Amino acid sequence: ANAAKRGGRANYRFYTKRMSEEVHRRVTIGHELRRALERDEFTLFYQAKVDLASRLIVGAEALLRWNSAALGPVSPEEFVPIAEETGLIVPIGEWVLTTACMEAAKWPSPTGRPIQVGVNLSALQFYQGDLISVVRHCLDASRLDATRLDLELTESMLIEKPAETIRALRELKDHGISISMDDFGTGYSSLSYLQRFPFDALKID
């Protein structure tokens, strides 16, 4: 049924052995994800953001990677959707935010220009978790200046609850935090619609 739904409306799929293997794999990933945090199996890598004019690194985006004791390395494209479906993305996302702030606070600034750290947010973190309190706690614990944190949202998050999203984003910006929209152009938002939101940057897909 899920495979048919992913194929679009008025669709169907015949059952195959591969489907059974995929279901078993998803169940296993969900089970192992529940223990990944306590086993310290997650790692952050950082993708540099470079200013083309000065050719200096001005920021870095935190990228979550998982090396499971039971499954080995698992791609984010595979485990992140499952983490979102199960709600595990909320505690995992909090770990990412905490770790990114802690590590960024230790980064040197050889040019004298502080390097920003970008962290992706899930819709569940935004709407179900106490995001404002979590962000403030991470900044306080790491002593990272709020202006060095850039929170990245996806386009789909703007459509679900726009009024609530705008209020939360403005509160975050009042603390000095930057807000970016990730993968602009993959959804249906127009530039005129985006003007309702207090973004500092758009990341073009």
Side-chain angles (χ1 to χ4, degrees):
N2 287 333
K5 287 178 182 177
R6 288 194 294 271
R9 299 182 63 183
N11 218 312
Y12 65 90
R13 291 288 187 275
F14 290 107
Y15 174 80
T16 65
K17 181 181 179 181
R18 182 179 176 182
M19 286 183 182
S20 179
E21 293 170 350
E22 288 176 353
V23 169
H24 181 265
R25 168 88 175 167
R26 288 175 62 84
V27 170
T28 303
I29 288 175
H31 177 73
E32 293 301 321
L33 268 177
R34 297 182 187 280
R35 297 186 288 182
L37 273 177
E38 62 186 60
R39 290 175 173 175
D40 196 26
E41 294 179 347
F42 291 117
T43 307
L44 290 186
F45 284 72
Y46 295 92
Q47 180 172 301
K49 298 178 183 179
V50 179
D51 184 306
L52 292 181
S54 64
R55 298 189 179 183
L56 297 175
I57 294 176
V58 295
E61 179 182 354
L63 304 175
L64 179 63
R65 296 294 180 261
W66 178 31
N67 189 14
S68 167
L71 301 170
V74 184
S75 167
E77 286 76 15
E78 190 174 20
F79 75 78
V80 169
I82 296 173
E84 290 178 339
E85 289 172 15
T86 58
L88 291 170
I89 197 65
V90 175
I92 292 172
E94 186 172 340
W95 178 88
V96 171
L97 186 59
T98 301
T99 305
C101 287
M102 289 288 189
E103 293 184 347
K106 300 174 184 177
W107 291 347
S109 182
T111 64
R113 182 175 178 177
I115 298 175
Q116 255 192 347
V117 61
V119 178
N120 289 280
L121 293 180
S122 159
L124 284 183
Q125 283 177 272
F126 205 83
Y127 297 121
Q128 293 187 14
D130 189 2
L131 181 63
I132 306 295
S133 296
V134 169
V135 171
R136 291 178 64 179
H137 172 73
C138 290
L139 291 173
D140 290 343
S142 64
R143 297 186 178 181
L144 182 74
D145 191 285
T147 59
R148 293 186 56 202
L149 178 61
D150 179 37
L151 297 178
E152 301 184 3
L153 287 72
T154 59
E155 197 169 348
S156 60
M157 292 169 62
L158 310 183
I159 300 171
E160 188 175 344
K161 298 177 181 178
E164 184 177 331
T165 301
I166 290 170
R167 283 195 299 272
L169 293 182
R170 285 178 177 163
E171 186 172 351
L172 289 167
K173 282 188 65 65
D174 286 344
H175 287 88
I177 298 163
S178 296
I179 308 293
S180 297
M181 196 184 83
D182 200 9
D183 290 343
F184 175 66
T186 58
Y188 303 98
S189 296
S190 64
L191 284 171
S192 58
Y193 180 74
L194 290 179
Q195 289 178 354
R196 300 171 57 190
F197 300 87
F199 288 115
D200 295 282
L202 297 181
K203 296 179 67 179
I204 308 299
D205 181 61

